[in-house]
Every structure is written in structure tokens, then in C-alpha cells.
Amino acid sequence: MDVIDALMQAGFTRHESMLYMTLCKEGELTGYEASKLTGIPRSNAYLGLAGLSDKGGAYKINGEAARYIAVQPEELVQNLKRKFSEIMKVIQEEIPQLNAMGESFVTINGRQQMLDKMKNLMNQARKRIYISISREQLDEVLEELIQARDKGLKVVVITSEKLAMERVICYCKNKRFESVRLITDSENVLTGQLGGTNPTCLFSRNSNMVDLIKDSLTNEIKLININTK
């Protein structure tokens, strides 16, 4: 994700995002000047600057020809934080609570959705986390594992390279990892392919599934211990 994509995710259009970046670089600009610098058609540039101003990304300077100046990036970030904090508060308070999930098997598609689910499971864990994952992919959830460790949870990692982390039990397996397996609190299990062209995984609270993956990880650890003796 680049900065234009990030600004669009924050609610600005592509033209507004491009114009904001241009204002930051160039300073005060008229719609005509912004159009020439960005290549955005003049009518769209005027509309984009007006929209940017309405959304808190720029200030309009009145004069013979209206000019626009970017809101300082630090201010913009703070404004967006306040805005999204209010949005999240409404969502959290107003959306009805879901019924408790049973023992269904849920398919999760897409790398980002998988990572989000893994991170949420780690953040919600109360006692222990067991994860088998490649060293490269481990970096993407390392912060959550560190936070779990610091909260006093038992954290066990099986990975492809030795992990130098205090108070984390690490087993090193010299084999290319094709999948990720995660168990939290002996209640939740996630298993699937985090890499490749079609990242997908299965998530469940099914007790038989949890026991199956738990046994798989236990046997893997036993095998590692045997091979390292």
C-alpha cells in the first residue's frame, strides 16, 4: 500500500489524494496550477480541491483567485484518528452482538483476512498460543506474540529458523513450511496456506479439529527433539 492508497482508504478520492500530495510538495496552488502539475482535468481539479477542503485535507485561501493550502500532515493524521475513533465507537456500541459461534468450520480467503484473524485470536488468547509458521511469515505476527508473552501467556513457536526471544519456547524445523497452524487456549484452531497465489485457511472451534491439530503439533515437536539429540 502506498500513500495514495492509504489516503483513499481514509476516505479521500484518488484525485483528492493526488492533490493533497501535490499541495504538500508545492505549497499554495490554484485549481489551474494544481491541474497542470497533476495532469488532472481542470474541472476535476477544482472539484477535487473543494472536496479535499470539505474533508479536512486542505484550507481555502480567499482572494482574486481561490488558492488552497494543505493541512499539515501531523494535523491530518490527528483529525483522521479522532474521526475514526468516533466511527469505531458507534460501530462497537450500536451493532448487535453476534450469537456465540458453535463448532462450525469457516473458510477464510485472502492473505490480509487470514492475518487479521490470526492477530485477533492471539490478542484474545488468555492462556496459551501454539503456532507453526515459516520464519518469514512469523514476522507479520511477531508483535502480537510479544504482547501475548508480556501478558504472561505461554507462547510456543515452531518455525524454520531459530527465534531469539526470551520467555518464548521455540522449536526450529529445517524444512520449508507450506502451511500455518495456530491454536489458542486449546479452543480455537486456524490452519491453511498463508503464502502462494491463493491464501486460504480453515478456522474452527470444533473440539475434534482442535485435538487433531494439537496432536499434529505435539508430534512435530517430538520429532524435532529426536532429530536434535
Side-chain angles (χ1 to χ4, degrees):
M1 180 187 298
D2 62 18
V3 66
I4 297 295
D5 291 328
L7 287 167
M8 291 174 66
Q9 290 285 336
F12 297 102
T13 67
R14 179 168 291 278
H15 282 170
E16 290 165 355
S17 302
M18 292 170 63
L19 289 164
Y20 178 75
M21 294 299 293
T22 303
L23 289 174
C24 286
K25 293 174 184 175
E26 304 293 336
E28 298 177 17
L29 293 173
T30 64
Y32 172 74
E33 292 167 336
S35 174
K36 286 184 66 177
L37 286 166
T38 60
I40 297 172
R42 193 185 304 180
S43 60
N44 291 341
Y46 281 108
L47 287 172
L49 287 168
L52 186 62
S53 179
D54 289 341
K55 293 176 183 177
Y59 296 123
K60 183 179 179 181
I61 303 170
N62 292 317
E64 187 174 334
R67 305 178 72 82
Y68 292 84
I69 185 170
V71 170
Q72 288 289 331
E74 295 82 2
E75 287 188 39
L76 181 64
V77 169
Q78 291 303 315
N79 292 342
L80 289 172
K81 284 182 178 179
R82 280 191 290 270
K83 172 186 172 182
F84 285 109
S85 177
E86 291 171 5
I87 291 171
M88 291 300 106
K89 182 179 179 182
V90 172
I91 291 173
Q92 189 172 22
E93 292 178 354
E94 299 297 332
I95 291 182
Q97 291 296 313
L98 290 173
N99 291 329
M101 179 180 172
E103 296 198 347
S104 302
F105 295 90
V106 178
T107 300
I108 300 174
N109 294 309
R111 180 180 179 82
Q112 190 57 53
Q113 280 195 294
M114 284 181 64
L115 284 170
D116 286 342
K117 187 61 179 175
M118 290 169 65
K119 291 177 180 182
N120 289 337
L121 287 172
M122 292 176 189
N123 289 335
Q124 294 162 6
R126 305 179 307 278
K127 298 176 182 177
R128 62 187 73 86
I129 296 172
Y130 283 74
I131 185 169
S132 173
I133 190 170
S134 73
R135 183 63 184 86
E136 295 80 8
Q137 294 168 344
L138 177 63
D139 286 337
E140 303 196 61
V141 295
L142 201 53
E143 183 178 341
E144 284 71 26
L145 289 175
I146 291 171
Q147 289 174 355
R149 176 204 65 183
D150 291 345
K151 288 189 293 186
L153 277 69
K154 179 180 181 180
V155 178
V156 179
V157 177
I158 302 172
T159 189
S160 49
E161 293 178 18
K162 193 66 178 176
L163 181 66
M165 279 180 63
E166 292 183 0
R167 293 179 286 124
V168 169
I169 303 169
C170 180
Y171 297 94
C172 186
K173 179 179 176 183
N174 295 319
K175 177 185 172 184
R176 181 174 176 79
F177 279 57
E178 299 296 338
S179 64
V180 58
R181 287 168 292 166
L182 170 68
I183 295 178
T184 61
D185 295 337
S186 300
E187 296 175 356
N188 307 286
V189 61
L190 181 147
T191 179
Q193 302 284 116
L194 186 56
T197 57
N198 185 32
T200 185
C201 72
L202 197 65
F203 165 69
S204 184
R205 295 177 61 98
N206 180 276
S207 56
N208 291 329
M209 181 73 169
V210 171
D211 289 342
L212 181 67
I213 299 300
K214 188 191 295 183
D215 289 344
S216 171
L217 292 176
T218 300
N219 291 333
E220 194 170 354
I221 290 170
K222 289 178 179 177
L223 213 59
I224 293 170
N225 286 334
I226 290 171
N227 291 335
T228 54
K229 283 184 179 179

